[in-house]
Amino acid sequence: MRILRTDEARFEGLPDYPFLPNYQEVEPGLRMHFVDEGPANGVPVIMLHGEPTWSYLYRHMIPVVAAAGHRVLAPDLIGFGKSDKPIALGDYTYDNHLRWLSHWLETLDIRGATLVCQNWGSLLGLRLATDHPGRFNRIIVGNGMLPTGEARVPTAFKVWKAFASRSPWFPVSKMVQLGTERALSKRELAAYEAPFPRDEYKGGARAFPALIPTSQSDTSGAANREAWRKLEKWRKPFITCFSSGDPITRGVDRQMQRRIPGAHGQPHMTLPGGHFLQEDSPNAFARVIIDALKHEMAA
């Protein structure tokens, strides 16, 4: 596996991202970066980003949740942010991403965690939680899903998948801006570009669309159907916090609320914003997390 590592200098002076870096090898020579803020003995809150972002996406939420007494852990998926970046697109498999995240979770020995996930953070996070149910006490999904390959594939997705794999132009910051309702500043847009000094660093972002199961014959589709069978028996708290302006995941929150026992009677929320609700409604999203954890703090 040929690996690239983004120069730390590209991350200096990013707006609203003062967090010290932490690293964990998830296989020999492959380093995953993560934010670790708040008291070490606090209830762990794992914030998983998606495509094509990194832990910078949660920058406004991390200090709020940490100040409430929780330990916030926000990893950069391999291929994103400050984490290492294999060059070959073939290294970015669904199974590899899960193996890397599982190694990180087990090495840090995280227990009693609240999972917060969005976009590909949910495609990986929901599998992670159902693979390690003893390590998670609660799940909060924002604009996320777990596709199984059984639904019709929209034409727009087919176009996006082809663009990601073939286009010589892959503007990460513009993609993030398309998913937010507020206008990001030039410095914020530059922060989303910071992990990717050249196109060869973007393998992880280019690979994700092709990993989404689009037919029942996909191996990941079968594994996701098995994860759904586990979710349909999940009785721990499961909260949806979707946004009002996301055409990608619209309606998925109601499906989850119907199918997952732990979602029944929970304070599900719809917040104003686009696909990246962490950019449009960060304080309200953070408040959902803090309110969900109040009874654990009281105990």
Side-chain angles (χ1 to χ4, degrees):
M1 186 183 293
R2 296 173 59 215
I3 296 168
L4 296 170
R5 185 170 292 172
T6 306
D7 191 329
E8 284 283 345
R10 290 184 60 86
F11 301 103
E12 292 177 0
L14 298 185
D16 303 312
Y17 193 85
F19 315 116
L20 294 175
N22 303 271
Y23 294 96
Q24 175 64 52
E25 275 201 348
V26 291
E27 67 175 66
L30 187 67
R31 207 171 65 161
M32 177 178 280
H33 166 264
F34 62 101
V35 173
D36 190 349
E37 294 287 315
N41 62 348
V43 176
V45 178
I46 298 174
M47 298 182 177
L48 286 185
H49 72 86
E51 162 86 330
T53 61
W54 57 293
S55 56
Y56 185 76
L57 179 69
Y58 287 102
R59 68 196 177 281
H60 296 304
M61 297 173 60
I62 291 168
V64 177
V65 177
H70 308 300
R71 180 187 180 188
V72 183
L73 298 134
D76 293 338
L77 299 175
I78 294 296
F80 297 83
K82 296 184 179 183
S83 290
D84 287 350
K85 301 167 182 69
I87 295 175
L89 263 66
D91 291 330
Y92 294 101
T93 66
Y94 212 135
D95 285 346
N96 276 350
H97 274 295
L98 281 166
R99 182 167 54 84
W100 294 327
L101 275 172
S102 294
H103 189 280
W104 173 80
L105 181 75
E106 292 172 338
T107 302
L108 269 63
D109 195 23
I110 303 300
R111 297 177 186 274
T114 291
L115 171 67
V116 178
C117 55
Q118 182 258 348
N119 187 274
W120 258 97
S122 64
L123 273 78
L124 294 169
L126 294 176
R127 286 276 302 274
L128 188 71
T130 53
D131 285 346
H132 305 273
R135 295 185 180 273
F136 292 91
N137 285 357
R138 178 181 292 96
I139 298 173
I140 301 174
V141 179
N143 291 345
M145 61 182 74
L146 186 63
T148 60
E150 297 166 295
R152 184 184 65 83
V153 180
T155 301
F157 175 75
K158 294 177 182 177
V159 172
W160 161 238
K161 182 178 176 179
F163 175 81
S165 63
R166 301 173 192 168
S167 172
W169 181 61
F170 199 73
V172 167
S173 61
K174 291 185 183 298
M175 295 176 200
V176 178
Q177 182 64 89
L178 286 171
T180 65
E181 290 188 349
R182 76 174 183 90
L184 301 178
S185 70
K186 288 183 178 179
R187 293 181 68 209
E188 288 173 321
L189 292 171
Y192 281 114
E193 293 285 356
F196 311 112
R198 297 187 302 279
D199 189 69
E200 62 185 334
Y201 285 72
K202 298 179 181 179
R206 285 185 176 274
F208 262 152
L211 301 185
I212 295 176
T214 55
S215 75
Q216 293 191 52
S217 62
D218 287 356
T219 303
S220 57
N224 285 6
R225 287 192 292 275
E226 177 58 29
W228 263 111
R229 283 189 280 273
K230 296 175 183 177
L231 286 171
E232 287 170 340
K233 298 177 183 177
W234 183 278
R235 297 194 176 278
K236 299 175 187 179
F238 189 105
I239 300 170
T240 60
C241 181
F242 280 43
S243 62
S244 57
D246 181 25
I248 300 172
T249 60
R250 183 175 291 127
V252 176
D253 52 344
R254 292 188 294 276
Q255 294 174 26
M256 291 179 171
Q257 292 164 22
R258 287 194 300 268
R259 294 179 66 179
I260 300 170
H264 300 165
Q266 295 295 331
H268 305 293
M269 294 285 291
T270 300
L271 301 177
H275 183 59
F276 297 110
L277 72 167
Q278 301 94 327
E279 288 288 358
D280 290 324
S281 292
N283 290 328
F285 195 2
R287 175 50 55 187
V288 170
I289 300 166
I290 293 167
D291 287 348
L293 284 163
K294 274 184 177 175
H295 79 276
E296 285 198 24
M297 292 292 286

